[in-house]
Amino acid sequence: MKASAPAKIILFGEHAVVYKRHAVVTAINLRCYAEAKKSSKIKIISPLGTTGLDFEVHPYVSYAIKRFSEIKPINGVEIRIESEIPIASGLGSSAAVTVAVLKALDGEFEAGLSDEDIFELARKVELDVQGIGSGTDPFIATFGGAWLIPDRKPIKIGNIKLLVINTGESSITAEMVKKVAELRERHPEVIDRIFDAIDAIALKSVDALKRGDITTLSELFFLNQCMLKALGVSTSKIDELVDRLAELGISAKITGAGGGGCVIGIGDDESIEKAMKDFDGFLVEAGAEGVRFEEEGV
Ligand code: PMV
């Protein structure tokens, strides 16, 4: 059985959302595909290599198989992964692969899991691998759409062009989340206020997103990026990219954990076109469909 799940971008609120503040997140039109076939042993085939159950090379897939087996014991399975989502780039590739594998296993072994069950399992896998996390990525990979988190309020995104540029530096979520946790331990009274500011930015963005109000959103992107820099998750490469984009009229911020990965930007059509050329950026569509079965052999 074959299944797929979408990538996501966090428009506002990364890191603060781990501490129960608001975030605005949308699924986007890049997908990860997983195929599961009954077998006598466990084999995982992906762009990262071919392994058995391997918690080093394939931690998310391996924990997904382990967690699924707790619900429906299996003797063996061959899992094949193909993905359009760049790895370690802040676009939620780990959650997408986890959710796609769980759905494919569900179909192949007829476990009858609901989307809510799949989300709960993927949430456990996130914690198995990362130890900490808000559950935002597995939620979006499962349900798709665009949401205000943690309220689970669906939101509308007007006609906005969303530009994504990959810095090419890898973004390791667990490392960045730990870095912020350590900073907060040293300066709780400061960091909690930064989280509150991010919370206000995320809440304020909901209306501006609905209206497609580029002017307000540009200011909110700028403010959110300043807060992320204060949390220590920007890099000199990201700072430089954000500055150069600003010169073109694009307001940009990190999306996801930072330390590398992708930045997202908005601006008028002319600026976006120029930035796409100069920085090898691409446009993404918000509100993509969540996890689903796929025709086999696609
Ligand atoms: O970099 P990503 O796509 O894994 O996003 C991480 C988002 C954080 O807020 C930093 C962590 C989390 O679990 O929400």
Side-chain angles (χ1 to χ4, degrees):
M1 190 64 86
K2 189 166 182 175
S4 75
K8 65 96 201 13
I9 52 176
I10 300 183
L11 287 159
F12 298 98
E14 46 275 274
H15 288 290
V17 71
V18 177
Y19 300 87
K20 309 272 184 274
R21 295 343 188 256
H22 286 96
V24 174
V25 190
T26 179
I28 56 169
N29 56 327
L30 295 174
R31 302 188 77 83
C32 177
Y33 299 84
E35 194 167 0
K37 274 199 191 124
K38 287 186 186 118
S39 169
S40 55
K41 57 180 181 19
I42 293 175
K43 188 171 176 188
I44 305 168
I45 305 155
S46 85
L48 299 176
T50 300
T51 68
L53 205 62
D54 186 322
F55 296 92
E56 297 285 320
V57 178
H58 289 124
Y60 290 92
V61 179
S62 297
Y63 274 110
I65 295 170
K66 182 169 174 272
R67 286 292 180 183
F68 180 82
S69 314
E70 288 168 10
I71 293 193
K72 182 125 191 183
I74 59 176
N75 293 325
V77 66
E78 184 176 309
I79 302 274
R80 191 177 289 270
I81 309 291
E82 279 166 33
S83 187
E84 301 162 353
I85 311 169
I87 293 171
S89 63
L91 299 183
S93 64
S94 308
V97 76
T98 306
V99 167
V101 165
L102 288 168
K103 184 84 173 170
L105 287 168
D106 170 51
E108 183 68 9
F109 294 93
E110 295 171 9
L113 300 180
S114 66
D115 282 354
E116 196 63 44
D117 296 331
I118 287 186
F119 164 63
E120 290 298 337
L121 284 176
R123 173 79 179 119
K124 283 185 186 152
V125 171
E126 178 179 68
L127 294 175
D128 287 335
V129 180
Q130 294 173 198
I132 182 170
S134 65
T136 304
D137 283 19
F139 178 80
I140 293 294
T142 306
F143 295 103
W147 300 82
L148 180 68
I149 301 284
D151 311 35
R152 286 194 176 197
K153 199 168 135 198
I155 59 173
K156 276 227 156 334
I157 298 189
N159 192 15
I160 303 165
K161 283 195 174 144
L162 291 166
L163 174 72
V164 177
I165 299 170
N166 196 341
T167 62
E169 294 175 316
S170 59
S171 166
I172 313 296
T173 307
E175 275 176 22
M176 290 298 117
V177 170
K178 184 160 169 265
K179 191 173 174 194
V180 172
E182 285 166 0
L183 189 68
R184 181 170 178 262
E185 252 170 52
R186 292 196 295 277
H187 310 287
E189 62 287 73
V190 179
I191 301 305
D192 281 338
R193 285 182 186 173
I194 294 178
F195 291 155
D196 288 340
I198 294 175
D199 184 67
I201 292 166
L203 285 172
K204 196 149 191 198
S205 76
V206 174
D207 223 44
L209 284 165
K210 206 191 302 173
R211 292 196 313 270
D213 177 351
I214 303 281
T215 310
T216 304
L217 290 170
S218 293
E219 284 176 0
L220 296 176
F221 266 41
F222 173 77
L223 289 167
N224 200 157
Q225 175 59 21
C226 291
M227 298 299 141
L228 288 167
K229 187 168 159 64
L231 292 177
V233 299
S234 198
T235 63
S236 48
K237 193 167 179 183
I238 294 172
D239 292 344
E240 198 185 308
L241 179 59
V242 168
D243 287 349
R244 288 180 62 200
L245 286 166
E247 282 165 20
L248 290 183
I250 301 285
S251 185
K253 66 174 275 292
I254 290 165
T255 186
C262 289
V263 302
I264 52 172
I266 51 167
D268 60 34
D269 288 1
E270 204 183 310
S271 313
I272 294 264
E273 259 183 40
K274 183 136 187 25
M276 278 169 69
K277 272 200 218 106
D278 292 5
F279 297 97
D280 205 16
F282 54 96
L283 291 180
V284 292
E285 279 164 33
E289 196 185 335
V291 70
R292 66 181 184 218
F293 289 122
E294 295 283 340
E295 298 270 320
E296 254 151 278
V298 175

